[in-house]
Amino acid sequence: MQAGSLVLTRRSFGLVQGGLAACVASFLLLLLLPVAPLFGAEAQRVSAGLRALSDGAFRVGPILMAAGVFLGAAAPWISGVPRRAVVTLLVAAGLQAWAPVCYAADLPARFLGGTAGHLGAFVPVILAIGWATMLAALCRWVVSVERSDVEDAEPGRVMAADTDDVVAWEALAGRSARLVWWGVVFLLVALGLDQALPWLARLGMGPREAAITAVIAVPVMAVWGIVLVARLGMLSGAVAWAMHRGGERPPGADA
């Protein structure tokens, strides 16, 4: 991969991985809240400190991810990565601005509590899905360039490393596509649970049943989310390493 054309895209990987780590750290800090009473007289101060750290990490995470998505748009337009980056940033910005717009326009409460209002809490998930779509587009583009180089080369000059690169990038493209679909499923399930519990309560579900449902659903979704974040982080690292290992290949990367 030619360093001149994708240098900013390479730098974006660290920002996105840092944002993912900050979001996971925010959740893990919340899990430490039950141990705060063990500090006795300092319990309230420790609990407030953990909450402040968790809130700070949750605010920093999406900012780093958005910065990484922005830098990732430096990839060549032909790859399709910039288009996906623009869509991702516009959706995230629109969801973040939804609440201020509702308050400024004095809209009814149902607008703020609707689907758009609930989606605002899942901006990090949407940024992660957008990043996965960018990785998938980048990998597919590199596969097309590598395959074109192999097809255009003379039969006697095609090396095993060339075909190995095609296979490796195809595998990364497949991993990226699968992660996009898993991310969409996770977002739909999380949004469904977020809106289903109040709906079930209105239909007559008692507090005890609602509490049991929440106790079961929250850890399951948390573990699922952490697994997806870990897979996305490993995928980002694998793509970054493949870009670094490629050196000056493929020749058509500056098209």
Side-chain angles (χ1 to χ4, degrees), residues 16-236:
V16 174
Q17 289 174 317
L20 292 172
C23 291
V24 173
S26 173
F27 174 74
L28 295 178
L29 287 170
L30 288 178
L31 294 181
L32 294 177
L33 287 177
V35 306
L38 299 178
F39 289 87
E42 299 293 324
Q44 187 173 359
R45 187 173 65 85
V46 171
S47 178
L50 289 175
R51 288 185 181 276
L53 288 174
S54 177
D55 292 343
F58 189 75
R59 290 190 179 95
V60 169
I63 294 175
L64 291 177
M65 294 174 66
V69 170
F70 179 77
L71 286 182
W77 184 263
I78 193 175
S79 66
V81 176
R83 292 191 294 273
R84 289 163 174 79
V86 171
V87 171
T88 301
L89 292 176
L90 287 177
V91 171
L95 292 175
Q96 289 288 75
W98 181 250
V101 168
C102 289
Y103 286 121
D106 197 20
L107 296 176
R110 67 176 181 275
F111 286 92
L112 185 59
T115 303
H118 285 267
L119 275 174
F122 297 101
V123 168
V125 180
I126 293 172
L127 288 171
I129 294 174
W131 176 250
T133 63
M134 292 168 60
L135 291 181
L138 178 65
C139 293
R140 287 194 297 266
W141 171 65
V142 176
V143 168
S144 66
V145 174
E146 292 278 4
R147 187 173 292 159
S148 176
D149 293 340
V150 172
E151 293 174 352
D152 293 342
E154 297 179 6
R157 303 187 64 181
V158 176
M159 298 181 295
D162 297 326
T163 55
D164 290 344
D165 285 341
V166 174
V167 174
W169 280 104
E170 284 179 340
L172 290 174
R175 288 173 58 186
S176 303
R178 288 191 296 271
L179 200 53
V180 170
W181 285 111
W182 277 114
V184 171
V185 172
F186 175 83
L187 178 62
L188 293 176
V189 172
L191 183 62
L193 289 173
D194 186 47
Q195 295 194 351
L197 289 178
W199 182 71
L200 291 174
R202 289 195 296 270
L203 289 181
M205 176 182 281
R208 183 172 178 272
E209 290 77 8
I212 293 175
T213 304
V215 167
I216 295 174
V218 170
V220 171
M221 295 301 296
V223 172
W224 188 7
I226 291 176
V227 170
L228 291 180
V229 167
R231 290 185 61 185
L232 182 57
M234 290 187 293
L235 174 64
S236 299

